[in-house]
Amino acid sequence: MKAEDVKVCVIRIEGTNCEDEMYQAFRMVGASPELVHLKQLAGKAPDHAKRNLEDYDILAFPGGFSAGDYVRAGAIFAARIKSDIGPQLRKFVESEKPVLGVCNGFQTLVELGLLPAFEGVMSETPTAALSTNDSGRFECRPTYLRNDNRGNCIFTSEIKKGKISMFPLAHAEGKLLSADPRFLEKLEENDQVVFRYVGPGGAKAVYPWNPNGSPSDIAGICNPAGNVLGMMPHPERVMTRYTHQDWTSCKGPEEGDGMAVFRSVMKKLTK
Amino acid sequence: MAKKALSVKRDVPFPLYDVDLLSASDEDLKRVSSEMSLGLSLDEMKVITDYFRKEGRNPTDVELESLGQAWSEHCCYKSSKNILKEFVFSVKHPDVLSRGDAGVMSFDDDHGYALRIESHNHPSAIEPYGGAATGIGGIIRDIVCMGAQPVGLGDPLCFGPLDRKGELPPGTKHPKYLLSGAVSGIRDYGNRIGVPTITGGFFFDERYTTNCLVNVSALGIVRKDELTNNFAGGPGETMILIGGRTGRDGIHGVTFASADLTSTSDEDSRGAVQLGDPITKEPIIHACLEVNHLGLITGMKDLGGGGLSCVVGEMALSAGECGADVDLDKVPLKEPGLAPWEIWVSESQERMMVTCKPENTEKILEVFSLWDVLATPVAVTTDVPRTRVYWKGTKILDMDTEFLTGGPAYNRPYVNPEVSCKDKETFPKIPSAGEVIPEMLSDLNIASKEWAIRQFDFEVRGATALGPMVGKLNAAGPGDASIVMPVPGSFRGLAAVMGCNPWFTEADPYNGTMSSVEEALRGLVAVGARPDAITNCLNFGNPEKPDRLGVFREAVRGLGDICKALEIPIPSGNVSLYNEGSVGEGVLPTPMIMATGIIEDTRKAVSADFKEPGNRIYLVGKTKDEMGASLLFRKYGGSGGAVPASDPMVFKRISEKLLTAMGKKLIRSCHDCSDGGLAVAVAEMCLSGRVGARIDVPKGAQENVWLYSESNTRWIAEVSKSAAAEFERIMGSDAEVIGETGGDALTVAGSSIPVSSLYESWSRPLWDIMGGTA
């Protein structure tokens, strides 16, 4: 497939608010993204605006405050998706098409049961949650992330294992918790850990470098098949070095650290 | 309400009253105004009576309510517009694309950018969370109704001292509570609608205790061929009401905003504070921009102060002597049982009005339907210049549109203020620089605002190149202007920054306001952006007090003079008067300035953190003996002294040179000198870059003036030794070497302060008061 033939569905409803930069990020790696309202996928739109999920090659859940997030973050969006396009979404993931969720998108993927999805592609009920930050506050910060994936995740194939990137984040609920006592072990066994927060130079992350208190410093995970990635920090905000918060004081390549996430998935699809 | 004696209920199955003005005495007229909360003076009531005499009938309560809104200070600027006309409106500029609800300036060949700032002071003093949140909502609507995508927010806030002890005046809430509420309101609204909060400012002074100031500003980007009008295209068009339902929240918001706060404002005016709903707003932004992009609408305007009563007439009148027929029954309501006048003047949030050719109505409704946003045709424009409102088949308002929306204009009496001067200066006794500098960094007006800044998403939209904090990650220091790159794929940057010095303005309104403007413009130049425009929110006291109006007048004169001299346009502005507080002391006169600039290549932007040891430190510009109202004097008890003046021509010359040097990448870091003077500026550059510095006080200089004077037109620049010769050639006598970067301490005037303790002094205070850690 040629890059421009890769159709990306950037899904939105009221309150998803990072769709423009998600759209631009896929544009920058040559794909053909489209902003699609959930109602367009659910047949609840005029004919000319109706869309089918199966016509897309990648599904991206942008950040934001979907439906206001007045209950658990991502819960309302997930419930609406399940009721509107649940079977289509399951089929999409089963066919191992890539799905990316950033920030509120990650929260939505967890609420949908698409992550961590230890059994099957999509659990009936959520088996993890992104809980309130330890600080109790919304945190808008830079973070250092280490790629800890051993090769399973489709979105990090172009990032060397152990490489440290700088992605910013902005959320109030990013602490990944689960009632499963073997949660972290299973993630490790299945090669589902993708990004961990680290301190400067790769040191163990303490607050604010781990900004939310996530156990084992986990910032992003994928599903066992590696085609669904959810992460709290925002790769789409650092596509050039000029949106890195410290770009005026350090040297580095023109390309921003976030670009590699998008190049990775495109490489797989355009091979 | 004045229903008993003067109002006669009409024989209709809903509340509608005819108010007998034609036979009313002066006392009666005053009573009608007061009992109906119209906020109209006796003279205004008489003008209205004369109007209805010519109409040959008495007004309805709906008509009087409508006039009370439209003729309020908030809506028609009756005390300020003649002064603004005299000093400010003559500033013309070819790059101004529109002076609508927001100003619009040219950004590049294809795009314009919209800018506006306004106040939400009175609601925030009563209910800071809702007041600040709806302030953001309102300013965003002003940007959207130009057809512009919002790309940045700013939030300058003024409160009483956070550590204020002792009894508060009646009806006043503690500054800490107010700040906490306002920051939460901005966070929960701004973050939810996905617009980065990129700039702002915090000002603390006892004089804001009983009347805090919450100003909100926004920037947007619009394709030039999609720039919208805020009025209808002509007669025969449909007016579609968009967004939230109408309820009793926000009744009499503008009349509330156009009077002094009192000790009982909390109880009396709670209903004037609206409720915000960002998740209704967010899809409204998408849908409004989409119908505009599709070319389906002729005009768009937001419902702010006065609600429907203001927007309908204004959209019709500006269309060229048009009028409108309104079917009030169509307006979607939050609850049944509202009186027609309440529907007509309610300021319920999240509402917009669009006008369109009738054939496009269905297509517009389809777009809003996809976003589940209510959209309801409620009126049609007519070729009769009258506004007519119908409710259940009865005509309840029928007035000349121009009379209704025009409003009076006054030349109220004023006395010119006395200004602070050198003759009456008392220089305070001060400790060594080693004590003064950390003390100043810890002053809440200087100290880190990280507690608030990190609760705001300043990077959403992925286009923020310079944010409000610069330097080391997670240990950053204060920046100057912020820069966003609003056009995807382009490195052209839009810079924005706040400037205001209320203490200068109090001591010398003319020079203080010029300094406020210059401070904002210096912030732009400090990052490498060319000043392009300003917008202002003038927060002053009761204009009916001649001394307050004198201060306002001098401030506006200063504003006009500097903008004319620099050819900087003011495409939008806002005036907030009656900021007196419940004890009538008045706030500090606060001309809040947001300046915008353009940087052709953001990749050449400069930040304020020292970059590395071994570089030369230059003072750009000249320090003068201008200690009046300086931070040093305020902190250590000095009095009098000259307030810094601004020489626009010198500013122009030096800023051109600095921009040239930045364009050649000769400057490693640059920071504007303002509060706390040179000493604080250098200390801030040290603590944000974690690089020390040695500063040499020039021979012959008065040390304490040189270190702490807040003279305008000065920057600190860091230049590498290899670039020094070329830098000096460009700057000529406008820059002098004052030291060198290096080491772990700031060494100045016989003191040496470790950079780590500079950072501690600066970063801790707000966290210590509000709780939490960095």
Side-chain angles (χ1 to χ4, degrees):
Chain A
M1 197 174 348
K2 282 190 291 191
E4 67 262 33
D5 295 333
V6 175
K7 290 182 70 184
V8 185
C9 173
V10 180
I11 191 168
R12 60 175 175 172
I13 60 168
E14 74 281 2
T16 51
N17 62 33
C18 302
E19 57 260 47
D20 288 347
E21 52 270 41
M22 183 68 89
Y23 173 95
Q24 290 301 335
F26 278 106
R27 279 278 298 270
M28 288 175 79
V29 291
S32 298
E34 186 184 353
L35 299 173
V36 184
H37 196 288
L38 172 61
K39 287 171 77 179
Q40 294 178 262
L41 297 172
K44 296 175 182 172
D47 284 346
H48 65 87
K50 286 194 175 102
R51 299 288 184 273
N52 277 319
L53 183 59
E54 65 177 358
D55 295 336
Y56 297 91
D57 307 297
I58 299 175
L59 173 61
F61 288 85
F65 288 78
S66 53
D69 272 354
Y70 291 112
V71 296
R72 224 168 44 239
I76 299 174
F77 194 11
R80 275 173 30 194
I81 291 170
K82 271 192 170 173
S83 107
D84 279 348
I85 56 163
Q88 294 97 306
L89 177 62
R90 174 184 284 273
K91 213 175 125 201
F92 192 93
V93 177
E94 273 169 354
S95 65
E96 300 208 351
K97 287 183 176 178
V99 178
L100 174 64
V102 170
C103 196
N104 191 231
F106 182 18
Q107 294 162 339
T108 306
L109 291 176
V110 170
E111 288 293 329
L112 278 166
L114 286 173
L115 288 174
F118 291 135
E119 284 153 46
V121 299
M122 192 167 169
S123 58
E124 258 322 291
T125 52
T127 60
L130 287 145
S131 174
T132 307
N133 297 347
D134 278 352
S135 67
R137 284 189 307 272
F138 188 93
E139 300 268 359
C140 181
R141 296 189 171 277
T143 57
Y144 288 118
L145 297 181
R146 186 178 62 219
N147 174 21
D148 276 356
N149 198 255
R150 303 191 294 271
N152 180 35
C153 179
I154 192 171
F155 288 94
T156 49
S157 57
E158 292 290 291
I159 306 174
K160 268 199 213 125
K161 182 167 183 307
K163 183 182 187 262
I164 295 170
S165 311
M166 198 292 288
F167 296 171
L169 58 67
H171 62 251
E173 292 149 312
K175 181 180 178 178
L176 183 64
L177 297 178
S178 171
D180 185 340
R182 292 200 62 247
F183 183 62
L184 293 173
E185 284 120 293
K186 286 186 196 168
L187 289 177
E188 287 291 356
E189 282 162 23
N190 299 337
D191 195 14
Q192 287 183 253
V193 175
V194 182
F195 291 114
R196 276 201 171 83
Y197 300 112
V198 293
K204 161 84 182 150
V206 289
Y207 181 82
W209 297 105
N210 175 342
N212 46 43
S214 199
S216 188
D217 303 320
I218 290 177
I221 59 171
C222 64
N223 64 349
N227 64 315
V228 179
L229 169 66
M231 58 190 299
M232 290 313 300
H234 288 271
E236 81 284 10
R237 293 187 183 180
V238 276
M239 296 298 281
T240 76
R241 74 182 245 96
Y242 301 100
T243 51
H244 280 228
Q245 282 176 27
D246 58 350
W247 72 269
T248 56
S249 58
C250 58
K251 292 192 165 57
E254 285 288 298
E255 182 179 297
D257 283 359
M259 183 80 93
V261 170
F262 298 89
R263 268 201 287 103
S264 294
V265 67
M266 289 301 286
K267 181 103 179 222
K268 287 275 184 187
L269 294 185
T270 56
K271 247 199 317 224
Chain B
M1 273 210 166
K3 305 295 185 197
K4 283 180 200 115
L6 294 163
S7 308
V8 181
K9 165 126 180 24
R10 193 87 68 86
D11 185 21
V12 285
F14 54 86
L16 178 69
Y17 294 83
D18 294 296
V19 185
D20 185 6
L21 295 192
L22 300 189
S23 62
S25 67
D26 285 3
E27 279 313 304
D28 290 339
L29 291 178
K30 282 196 225 165
R31 213 175 82 215
V32 169
S33 175
S34 134
E35 289 181 7
M36 291 179 74
S37 301
L38 299 177
L40 296 168
S41 70
L42 176 61
D43 287 344
E44 289 161 349
M45 289 300 288
K46 283 181 174 170
V47 172
I48 291 168
T49 306
D50 285 347
Y51 172 82
F52 281 100
R53 191 159 283 129
K54 275 180 230 146
E55 294 274 320
R57 64 179 173 88
N58 273 311
T60 64
D61 58 339
V62 185
E63 288 170 324
L64 284 181
E65 287 286 354
S66 200
L67 287 163
Q69 309 301 310
W71 288 21
S72 66
E73 188 69 54
H74 182 93
C75 287
C76 79
Y77 292 65
K78 58 192 170 193
S79 304
S80 63
K81 69 183 159 194
N82 284 344
I83 296 173
L84 294 168
K85 220 178 264 175
E86 182 177 352
F87 297 116
V88 171
F89 288 173
S90 53
V91 184
K92 300 269 192 279
H93 200 278
D95 284 346
V96 177
L97 301 180
S98 175
R99 294 176 187 271
D101 285 10
V104 181
M105 299 291 299
S106 184
F107 180 67
D108 61 18
D109 289 348
D110 301 323
H111 297 86
Y113 72 90
L115 71 159
R116 178 165 169 83
I117 182 170
E118 67 183 16
S119 69
H120 234 226
N121 300 337
H122 284 32
S124 303
I126 302 285
E127 210 283 270
Y129 182 89
T134 53
I136 303 274
I139 200 77
I140 287 291
R141 286 196 300 276
D142 286 328
I143 298 294
V144 169
C145 71
M146 306 312 297
Q149 164 68 50
V151 297
L153 285 170
D155 47 29
L157 310 170
C158 309
F159 296 100
L162 291 180
D163 49 1
R164 192 183 188 284
K165 305 259 176 1
E167 210 171 314
L168 287 160
T172 301
K173 298 184 168 77
H174 195 276
K176 190 173 159 184
Y177 166 82
L178 292 171
L179 172 71
S180 186
V183 166
S184 301
I186 293 164
R187 174 195 67 208
D188 288 353
Y189 202 105
N191 292 354
R192 275 197 170 84
I193 58 169
V195 182
T197 298
I198 56 169
T199 182
F202 287 76
F203 301 81
F204 297 102
D205 192 278
E206 178 58 27
R207 295 272 298 276
Y208 296 119
T209 299
T210 57
N211 192 138
C212 65
L213 302 180
V214 171
N215 289 182
V216 286
S217 69
L219 298 165
I221 191 84
V222 55
R223 282 192 59 90
K224 284 181 181 170
D225 53 12
E226 293 183 5
L227 183 59
T228 340
N229 291 323
N230 304 129
F231 46 84
E237 296 196 340
T238 308
M239 286 184 154
I240 306 177
L241 180 61
I242 305 298
R245 290 173 179 272
T246 300
R248 285 208 174 91
D249 53 317
I251 303 253
H252 285 159
V254 297
T255 41
F256 165 55
S258 305
D260 295 350
L261 287 169
T262 67
S263 59
T264 58
S265 286
D266 195 6
E267 295 140 48
D268 304 344
S269 302
R270 192 62 177 242
V273 183
Q274 309 96 318
L275 309 168
D277 178 5
I279 295 306
T280 298
K281 170 65 57 59
E282 203 266 353
I284 290 176
I285 299 173
H286 291 302
C288 283
L289 295 179
E290 188 172 335
V291 292
N292 181 46
H293 172 72
L294 295 171
L296 296 173
I297 61 172
T298 54
M300 177 155 50
K301 192 170 176 66
D302 89 293
L303 274 76
L308 282 166
S309 77
C310 286
V311 80
V312 168
E314 288 172 16
M315 286 191 87
L317 189 68
S318 304
E321 300 295 293
C322 289
D325 285 349
V326 185
D327 191 351
L328 213 53
D329 297 283
K330 300 254 178 70
V331 175
L333 301 178
K334 289 184 179 175
E335 58 194 308
L338 270 72
W341 74 266
E342 291 179 305
I343 302 169
W344 184 235
V345 305
S346 164
E347 296 172 16
S348 287
Q349 288 289 294
E350 326 308 355
R351 298 182 302 163
M352 303 273 283
M353 187 75 90
V354 299
T355 52
C356 68
K357 301 272 177 261
E359 59 268 28
N360 288 328
T361 306
E362 279 310 310
K363 286 181 212 154
I364 290 171
L365 297 185
E366 195 177 85
V367 171
F368 284 98
S369 161
L370 183 72
W371 283 102
D372 297 316
V373 170
L374 276 177
T376 318
V378 295
V380 291
T381 57
T382 66
D383 55 8
V384 191
R386 291 184 77 87
T387 302
R388 295 180 291 220
V389 182
Y390 297 85
W391 174 253
K392 304 207 185 298
T394 303
K395 187 158 71 178
I396 58 172
L397 181 150
D398 183 354
M399 291 177 68
D400 178 83
T401 306
E402 193 160 5
F403 179 77
L404 175 59
T405 59
Y410 296 124
N411 294 311
R412 296 192 191 276
Y414 64 90
V415 288
N416 271 329
E418 247 183 75
V419 301
S420 179
C421 59
K422 177 72 189 165
D423 298 348
K424 293 185 185 159
E425 180 182 289
T426 311
F427 204 101
K429 212 171 138 45
I430 59 168
S432 72
E435 276 182 60
V436 172
I437 292 172
E439 270 283 308
M440 283 184 159
L441 291 173
S442 294
D443 186 284
L444 281 178
N445 286 302
I446 303 287
S448 172
K449 313 305 183 298
E450 185 181 25
W451 167 81
I453 290 170
R454 293 214 185 277
Q455 296 190 56
F456 305 147
D457 193 338
F458 50 85
E459 294 189 317
V460 60
R461 300 194 63 73
T464 306
L466 276 188
M469 300 181 75
V470 298
K472 295 283 173 244
L473 295 183
N474 272 337
D480 290 290
S482 293
I483 301 178
V484 292
M485 298 176 285
V487 177
S490 161
F491 284 111
R492 196 176 179 86
L494 177 60
V497 67
M498 296 292 167
C500 185
N501 194 314
W503 301 281
F504 287 1
T505 310
E506 145 120 297
D508 183 342
Y510 177 79
N511 283 316
T513 303
M514 283 182 93
S515 296
S516 297
V517 174
E518 217 222 71
E519 180 192 352
L521 300 178
R522 280 201 305 279
L524 297 171
V525 173
V527 300
R530 183 172 298 279
D532 193 58
I534 68 157
T535 180
N536 59 80
C537 183
L538 304 174
N539 305 271
F540 286 75
N542 184 339
E544 297 164 47
K545 298 181 180 173
D547 54 333
R548 300 277 198 270
L549 194 65
V551 169
F552 177 75
R553 202 170 181 282
E554 279 299 282
V556 175
R557 187 168 72 87
L559 178 67
D561 279 1
I562 187 167
C563 289
K564 270 179 258 184
L566 293 173
E567 297 174 70
I568 295 284
I570 314 173
S572 61
N574 177 247
V575 178
S576 169
L577 301 177
Y578 297 96
N579 292 294
E580 286 290 321
S582 55
V583 291
E585 191 190 21
V587 295
L588 288 174
T590 309
M592 194 61 70
I593 309 295
M594 180 170 75
T596 49
I598 290 173
I599 177 163
E600 276 171 37
D601 186 350
T602 298
R603 292 172 293 187
K604 292 182 177 169
V606 176
S607 63
D609 46 317
F610 278 145
K611 298 300 184 301
E612 62 257 326
N615 288 337
R616 285 190 188 160
I617 301 171
Y618 288 85
L619 169 64
V620 176
K622 295 274 181 292
T623 306
K624 299 177 193 137
D625 183 359
E626 294 171 315
M627 298 303 297
S630 61
L631 179 62
L632 189 84
F633 272 30
R634 277 154 37 218
K635 244 187 148 45
Y636 293 98
S639 63
V643 168
S646 169
D647 183 335
M649 288 309 115
V650 175
F651 173 82
K652 200 168 194 160
R653 181 185 77 224
I654 300 182
S655 53
E656 283 298 334
K657 289 180 178 177
L658 259 183
L659 290 171
T660 302
M662 285 173 173
K664 292 174 184 284
K665 293 187 159 191
L666 300 177
I667 300 182
R668 295 291 289 141
S669 66
C670 184
H671 195 28
D672 124 67
C673 291
S674 52
D675 305 61
L678 181 155
V680 164
V682 172
E684 288 178 338
M685 297 174 85
C686 288
L687 69 88
S688 51
R690 293 298 168 112
V691 177
R694 192 204 70 243
I695 299 295
D696 309 315
V697 179
K699 285 201 178 65
Q702 285 175 270
E703 185 172 282
N704 290 333
V705 169
W706 191 78
L707 285 173
Y708 306 118
S709 166
E710 298 177 13
S711 290
N712 284 308
T713 323
R714 293 181 309 152
W715 296 261
I716 304 295
E718 176 194 6
V719 179
S720 71
K721 282 178 183 148
S722 59
E726 196 179 357
F727 176 75
E728 286 176 13
R729 189 184 56 73
I730 291 168
M731 299 307 297
S733 61
D734 287 327
E736 56 172 328
V737 182
I738 57 166
E740 189 170 315
T741 59
D744 298 325
L746 170 60
T747 305
V748 60
S751 297
S752 184
I753 318 156
V755 173
S756 56
S757 56
L758 291 175
Y759 183 77
E760 280 297 301
S761 301
W762 176 80
S763 66
R764 290 299 322 160
L766 198 55
W767 286 109
D768 288 343
I769 293 173
M770 302 309 291
T773 57

